[in-house]
Amino acid sequence: MSKSSAPTGTSAPGESEAPDTAPPRPGDTRPEIEPELGAAGAQLSTAPREESLAQLPALGVIGWVRWFWRQLTSMRVALLLLLLLSLAAIPGSLIPQTGADELKVEEFKRTHTTLGPLYEKVQLFDVYSSVWFSAIYILLFVSLVGCIVPRSWQFIGQLRSRPPGAPKRLTRLPAYTTWRTAAGEEEVRAEARALLGRRRFRVHGSGDAVAAEKGYLREAGNLVFHLSLIVLLIAFACGQLFKSEGGKLIIEGDGFANTLPQYDDFKSGSLYDPEDLAPFSFDLDNFVGTYERSGPNTGTPRTYRADITYREGADGPPKKKSIEVNKPLDVDGSKVYLVGHGYAPVITVRDGRGEKVYSQAVPLLPIDSNQTSTGAVKVLDGYKDGKGMKEQLGFNAFFVPTFAGAGKGQMFSQFPALDFPVLALSAYHGSLGVDSGIPQNVYQLDTRKMAKFKDAKGELLKKRLVPGETLKLPNGAGSVTFEKEIKEWATFQVSQQPGNGWALGGAVAAIAGLSGSLFIQRRRVWVRARTGEDGVTVVEMAGLGRSESARLGEELGQLSGALHTRVPSVGEPEHETSAATPPTAAAGADLVPAEGAEK
């Protein structure tokens, strides 16, 4: 079907009164079609206009403040700040952080004597609380708020308004079609309103045309996405300011109460109050660990579970619970995670008179995946040597749960289970240095003020022991026994993260909003019906989208095909389109390209 030109002359009521052409405004980056269509092509987006500094007239102080504010609240700057925030967070994952592990920070400073002071000066050991990271964070927050608030009000105004009237020349729109029909003008417009209403368009009759609009969820998704970023920023801030995180090593049979002195290490945000610790306690009844014994995954844990008995509050009834990896105990907003495991051989020390002065399970720290472990045994009080003199004892300990056997390589464990446990001890006596007031690592032995126990060859006294064996100390100084009982220990992390729920909700909302803004198209459709000089009604349909898209032409083709079945062309039979036939082909209403467009 050939194209039918739109009538010219005086605009009908409800048409856009803007001229066909209008001079572009400074900084206007929208397509040239918008000024040509007036109100019909305006407000397809709430994005503010970008202004170029070169196009601005001379500004006073207030003018410059307004210009900088508009730049700060532009989406381009917001995305740039978001990129800078992502880049600024990279050092926090590559460089040891004071808030996470102070020992690693100190070790880094000792190892890197040049970089250490430089990193400290630019706050790379405290990235997330540094001045420059906080500045980017706050600027991003202000930028998003300053951008979202006015756009939200503008979008609400668009939702309350009607679709704009049809422009004078529908042929200028990207998608356009026309045909002649014997149906009257009112009949055509009534059918168009009914059709567009069924397709969930917002419909409004204006003069000789029907205006319809659809795709508001695109802008709603865009706003939801940016609001979600604000929620994520707030959640991140709350998580850093009010969080708490502590670690505790517990041997089978021992317990833990959630109070500050009970923790082995504890970190919290600057606004966290220790009084907010949730009141609960638990005992480690048993640790169960089984391992793969064959194949390429030999030694990989199959079962890794801590069976506990816990109580909520000070006097709560005991409850049983099993904590596994990624299956924490959740008590009153605090989560208890299982993060580690090891062995604690039971060691008994007797003095020269045969009296027991020390007997307890000693936790040793694993140094490889097969649970090869090291540590120290420290006898602080109650020991007297063969002459009755008070003294302190210390033993370096090296433990393997599965020993390969004498002469079969180095003493490293071959498997993480207790198949052939062996404990190697080396003995010292003297002062452990615990009375100096300087904190000590409980897993390391300070031998600076200690003397070696020596064997018959004058060498350091050391021996490998299997469960039940005893190491005799020289000169009647006593003995050390590796008992047959070997307990297991587990380390737990107790954390409170008040912003996690908000962060998760913000992330889900951001994904949903971004999907809507990417896959939903904002578009407008107009249907005009006018009676020509020969008494036949001319039907024009046109569509306009926020951006160029082939889907706009496809949708207009479907709409025109559906309307054509109701108001068919002159001389064609009135019948419904078959399901197998494309609507536009059956209707005979071929899409006509806009004037000057490539064919």
Side-chain angles (χ1 to χ4, degrees):
M1 181 180 294
S2 62
K3 170 183 170 183
S4 177
S5 302
T8 59
T10 308
S11 302
E15 289 182 334
S16 174
E17 299 296 335
D20 289 349
T21 59
R25 286 163 284 194
D28 195 348
T29 60
R30 289 182 290 182
E32 289 298 324
I33 194 171
E34 181 181 319
E36 295 179 0
L37 299 174
Q43 294 185 343
L44 274 171
S45 171
T46 59
R49 297 180 182 276
E50 302 290 346
E51 294 182 351
S52 173
L53 182 62
Q55 296 172 325
L56 293 176
L59 299 176
V61 176
I62 302 299
W64 278 108
V65 171
R66 289 178 178 174
W67 184 84
F68 278 115
W69 173 254
R70 289 174 183 173
Q71 297 303 306
L72 178 61
T73 57
S74 67
M75 199 55 60
R76 181 180 64 247
V77 173
L79 292 174
L80 179 60
L81 289 172
L82 187 60
L83 175 62
L84 288 177
L85 191 69
S86 302
L87 294 176
I90 293 177
S93 58
L94 299 178
I95 300 173
Q97 298 296 294
T98 303
D101 195 330
E102 293 186 11
L103 294 177
K104 284 188 177 181
V105 172
E106 294 300 325
E107 182 181 354
F108 185 93
K109 291 179 181 179
R110 288 194 302 269
T111 307
H112 303 82
T113 55
T114 302
L115 289 178
L118 178 61
Y119 284 2
E120 189 169 17
K121 184 174 293 186
V122 295
Q123 298 180 298
L124 289 181
F125 295 123
D126 301 278
V127 168
Y128 303 113
S129 58
S130 64
V131 174
W132 48 272
F133 188 88
S134 301
I136 300 173
Y137 184 91
I138 294 172
L139 282 175
L140 177 59
F141 186 85
V142 173
S143 177
L144 288 173
V145 172
C147 180
I148 293 301
V149 171
R151 291 185 66 172
S152 298
W153 285 113
Q154 186 178 350
F155 181 62
I156 292 173
Q158 291 182 16
L159 291 177
R160 298 176 61 184
S161 63
R162 295 178 175 180
K168 289 187 294 183
R169 297 185 183 181
L170 292 178
T171 55
R172 292 184 177 274
L173 298 183
Y176 172 81
T177 187
T178 182
W179 70 93
R180 292 156 53 87
T181 181
E185 294 182 14
E186 290 300 327
E187 181 181 354
V188 172
R189 287 192 284 268
E191 292 290 349
R193 281 193 294 269
L195 170 65
L196 294 171
R198 288 195 300 269
R199 300 295 179 93
R200 299 189 302 277
F201 279 83
R202 291 178 59 197
V203 183
H204 169 58
S206 178
D208 63 352
V210 174
E213 190 166 9
K214 191 177 183 181
Y216 287 91
L217 286 178
R218 177 188 179 94
E219 187 62 26
N222 191 26
L223 295 174
V224 167
F225 171 72
H226 292 93
L227 285 171
S228 300
L229 292 182
I230 296 177
V231 173
L232 284 172
L233 290 175
I234 294 175
F236 177 78
C238 291
Q240 292 297 311
L241 293 174
F242 297 98
K243 72 174 183 179
S244 70
E245 185 176 280
K248 180 64 178 179
L249 185 149
I250 305 175
I251 301 172
E252 287 176 329
D254 292 344
F256 166 79
N258 193 29
T259 58
L260 197 57
Q262 286 274 303
Y263 283 98
D264 295 331
D265 59 84
F266 186 83
K267 302 183 295 290
S268 64
S270 57
L271 298 182
Y272 183 79
D273 186 355
E275 297 295 328
D276 295 333
L277 286 170
F280 69 90
S281 62
F282 66 90
D283 298 324
L284 177 59
D285 300 328
N286 185 37
F287 182 88
V288 180
T290 60
Y291 307 90
E292 193 70 44
R293 290 192 171 271
S294 61
N297 296 320
T298 300
T300 302
R302 300 183 60 185
T303 306
Y304 207 75
R305 186 183 76 241
D307 298 327
I308 67 167
T309 301
Y310 74 99
R311 298 170 179 80
E312 298 184 48
D315 303 315
K319 301 177 183 178
K320 296 290 185 178
K321 171 73 176 180
S322 293
I323 302 177
E324 301 180 52
V325 177
N326 296 326
K327 294 182 180 179
L329 169 68
D330 194 340
V331 183
D332 195 18
S334 295
K335 291 188 176 182
V336 183
Y337 296 90
L338 174 63
V339 296
H341 158 258
Y343 293 104
V346 178
I347 297 174
T348 299
V349 178
R350 290 179 171 83
D351 62 12
R353 296 171 295 176
E355 295 183 3
K356 186 185 297 184
V357 296
Y358 180 95
S359 182
Q360 63 184 52
V362 180
L364 304 177
L365 297 182
I367 59 175
D368 61 22
S369 60
N370 284 328
Q371 294 293 321
T372 302
S373 307
T374 64
V377 182
K378 299 181 182 182
V379 181
L380 303 177
D381 301 311
Y383 172 78
K384 294 182 181 181
D385 62 13
K387 299 178 181 180
M389 301 294 293
K390 290 184 178 180
E391 205 171 21
Q392 294 178 333
L393 300 181
F395 303 89
N396 280 321
F398 195 88
F399 175 78
V400 290
T402 301
F403 184 46
K408 296 183 179 180
Q410 296 180 341
M411 187 178 170
F412 282 90
S413 180
Q414 306 302 303
F415 195 74
L418 292 171
D419 292 347
F420 184 11
V422 172
L423 176 67
L425 295 176
S426 57
Y428 296 83
H429 64 100
S431 174
L432 292 168
V434 294
D435 300 327
S436 63
I438 300 176
Q440 279 191 1
N441 189 330
V442 296
Y443 303 103
Q444 293 180 351
L445 190 64
D446 185 358
T447 60
R448 289 176 297 179
K449 297 182 179 181
M450 304 193 78
K452 300 176 181 178
F453 278 111
K454 296 182 179 181
D455 58 14
K457 297 180 180 180
E459 301 292 336
L460 173 65
L461 179 65
K462 52 187 177 181
K463 184 179 181 180
R464 292 175 181 170
L465 304 175
V466 297
E469 284 191 339
T470 298
L471 169 64
K472 294 289 185 178
L473 299 178
N475 302 321
S479 63
V480 183
T481 301
F482 176 21
E483 303 290 350
K484 293 183 178 181
E485 181 183 12
I486 301 175
K487 294 187 176 182
E488 299 186 54
W489 57 260
T491 50
F492 299 89
Q493 177 181 293
V494 183
S495 63
Q496 284 183 295
Q497 299 285 349
N500 280 359
W502 285 98
L504 177 61
V508 172
I511 294 173
L514 184 61
S515 300
S517 65
L518 291 177
F519 300 111
I520 298 175
Q521 185 183 16
R522 182 87 174 271
R523 65 268 196 201
R524 291 169 179 164
V525 174
W526 292 274
V527 181
R528 174 174 286 150
R530 286 180 175 176
T531 303
E533 295 179 357
D534 56 357
V536 178
T537 302
V538 178
V539 181
E540 291 181 288
M541 289 188 70
L544 177 64
R546 178 181 173 185
S547 58
E548 295 292 337
S549 173
R551 291 183 297 174
L552 178 64
E554 294 173 1
E555 184 175 32
L556 187 68
Q558 295 173 1
L559 292 172
S560 63
L563 181 60
H564 189 271
T565 59
R566 301 294 182 182
V567 287
S569 301
V570 175
E572 293 185 5
E574 299 185 14
H575 60 81
E576 296 291 337
T577 308
S578 65
T581 307
T584 52
D590 298 330
L591 286 176
V592 179
E595 294 179 354
E598 294 184 3
K599 297 184 180 180

